[in-house]
Each structure stands twice: as structure tokens, then as C-alpha cells.
Amino acid sequence: MLSKMLLGRYIPGSSVIHHLDPRAKIVCVVLFMIIVFFANHWTGYLLLILFVVSITKMAGLSLIFLFNGLKLILILLVFTFMMHLFFTKGGIVLIDATLFTIESAGVVQGVYITIRLAMLILITTVLTLTTSSVSLTDAIERLCRPLKTLRLPVHEIAMMMSISLRFIPTLMDETEKIIKAQSARGSTFMTGSLKSRMNALTPVFIPLFISAFKRAEELAVAMEVRGYQGEAGRTSYRVLDWQYKDTLAIITVIIFGVFLFMIRQ
């Protein structure tokens, strides 16, 4: 299941979303992160869901495919919902137990926050699935260029973010290989008490950390051999080309945000 994780992966394609400038996609995602807080009732959240579903279809991605690749994220969503379910008070008392009470405000708030978090995860996943790590690095560097006046190492920061993002699927694949190797040796990870399961994960974490440090060292050596010295003396092989469709995408997101803000209650 870990090998199917979509976080940090890139899937080549020829959709409209794939062909957008990576800077436009990052700006749209940032705007959506703000817009998602405008929804405060069922109509707004329904529009958010329809908007994200439309973007997913435009990117040529299947919702089932995204669901299968984000199953582990469901744990976070369920935890978020349960926290609001038990700790948010107000409204009608639905369940009055000895140790806890569940009230209508907790259910509504839990559903709202869970939907909000799920939409943010989906929209950022669409961004990484339709944008290569190289394009993301170039886009982040271009967008953060004004920060160079503050003597911030913009290029190095963008490079580290891109490398970290690309390391996620690599480590997921490595983890699954180690788990399969340990299972073949008789280790069990799904049976027994919680303590025994945690102890069984120790032979997984140790080789995983060793592999991660080894890969990081190999990457550092490869970059050094190729003469990488940060931004000094570097030019871009790929030139980002801003087109009218990129401006149109940002305007569309802004219009959606204005409409969502106008229908607030």
C-alpha cells in the first residue's frame, strides 16, 4: 500500500492542468488555501467539493485513483473528525454517556473541518501529481525572487523543498521493500499486542534510516561531482513561459473565491 502513496509523486500527462505554468498552479493553490476558509455552511462546502472535483477531472485524474493513493491520510481525517465530535460543544445533545457527550455542534463542526482539510489535501496532491519536481523548484525560485533583497538563499531553499518532496515516494517504496523482506523472514506487523507490533517495526526503521542517509550522501556526492555550487553561475535549461491561460486560471480561482465570500451567512 505504501508504494501507491501519491504524496510527492509526479504523473506525466497532457491535460490542461499539466500545461499550466507551475507558478500559476502554486498561486492558485495558495489562493485556494485562503478561499477554503470562506465556506461556513453546506452550500459553500458543496461548492468547494464541486470545484475540487472539477479540477481533478480537468487534470485527467480519477477520484478512485486519488482515494486509493491517499488511504493513509484518512487516519488524519478520522482523527480530526473525532476530536471535534467529542470536544466541540453546543446545540442539541445527541448522545449523553457517562464519560462523554456528543452534541450537534460537534458533528457539524467535525464534518466542516474534515471536508476543509480533505479539499486542501486533494488540491495539493493534484499540484504535485501534475507538476514535476524540477518545475516546482523553478516556480518556487521565481516566486520567491523578491526575497533575495533580504539576502535569503532562495535557490537553495527551493532546491531543498523539491528534493524533500521527491524523497517521500522513494522512502515509501523503500519502506515497503523492507517490510516485505522482514515478513519473508517471519516478522509479523499486523498481529499481536500494540507493544509487540511496535517492537516488530524496529527492524524496519533502522535499515530505513540507513538507506535514507545513504541516498542523501549519494545525492550530495553526485551534485558535487557535477559542480553544483548553489545559484552562483547557474542558468535555467527550462524557461518558464507565462501565457494567457495561466492568468485566466488565477482569475477563475479569484472569481470563485469572491462568489464563495458573497454567499456567506
Side-chain angles (χ1 to χ4, degrees), residues 15 20 32 52 56 59 65 68 78 80 83 85 103 137 156 161 164 172 176 193 200 206 220 223 230 245 263-264:
S15 67
L20 287 177
F32 183 82
V52 173
T56 303
F65 171 73
N68 292 332
V78 172
T80 301
M83 290 293 291
L85 186 66
E103 302 179 9
T137 303
E156 287 76 6
M161 292 175 61
S164 300
M172 290 295 180
E176 187 168 26
S193 62
I206 294 177
M223 295 175 68
K245 59 184 178 182
I263 65 173
R264 284 171 59 92

Side-chain angles (χ1 to χ4, degrees), residues 146-192:
L147 297 179
K148 289 183 180 179
T149 57
L150 302 177
R151 298 184 180 276
L152 291 178
V154 175
H155 174 78
E156 287 76 6
I157 293 175
M159 180 64 70
M160 287 188 295
M161 292 175 61
S162 175
I163 292 175
S164 300
L165 191 64
R166 295 305 301 164
F167 253 75
I168 294 176
T170 303
L171 292 179
M172 290 295 180
D173 294 339
E174 191 71 22
T175 302
E176 187 168 26
K177 291 179 182 178
I178 295 173
I179 290 177
K180 288 182 178 179
Q182 296 295 341
S183 299
R185 294 180 175 90
S187 299
T188 57
F189 302 95
M190 304 302 295
T191 58

Side-chain angles (χ1 to χ4, degrees), residues 39-134:
N40 64 343
H41 55 88
W42 288 108
T43 305
Y45 284 99
L46 180 60
L47 290 175
L48 279 177
I49 294 174
L50 293 177
F51 183 80
V52 173
V53 170
S54 300
I55 296 298
T56 303
K57 293 298 182 181
M58 291 175 62
L61 301 173
S62 171
L63 291 176
I64 299 177
F65 171 73
L66 290 177
F67 177 79
N68 292 332
L70 298 173
K71 284 183 178 178
L72 292 179
I73 306 297
L74 291 177
I75 300 175
L76 175 62
L77 298 179
V78 172
F79 176 77
T80 301
F81 176 76
M82 298 301 292
M83 290 293 291
H84 286 278
L85 186 66
F86 290 110
F87 293 103
T88 301
K89 303 302 179 182
I92 303 173
V93 178
L94 302 177
I95 299 178
D96 188 2
T98 305
L99 300 177
F100 64 89
T101 59
I102 297 178
E103 302 179 9
S104 59
V107 176
V108 174
Q109 191 68 12
V111 172
Y112 283 171
I113 299 300
T114 302
I115 292 176
R116 187 179 294 173
L117 183 59
M119 295 303 101
L120 289 174
I121 293 173
L122 285 176
I123 205 70
T124 51
T125 302
V126 172
L127 171 65
T128 56
L129 288 177
T130 59
T131 313
S132 64
S133 59
V134 177

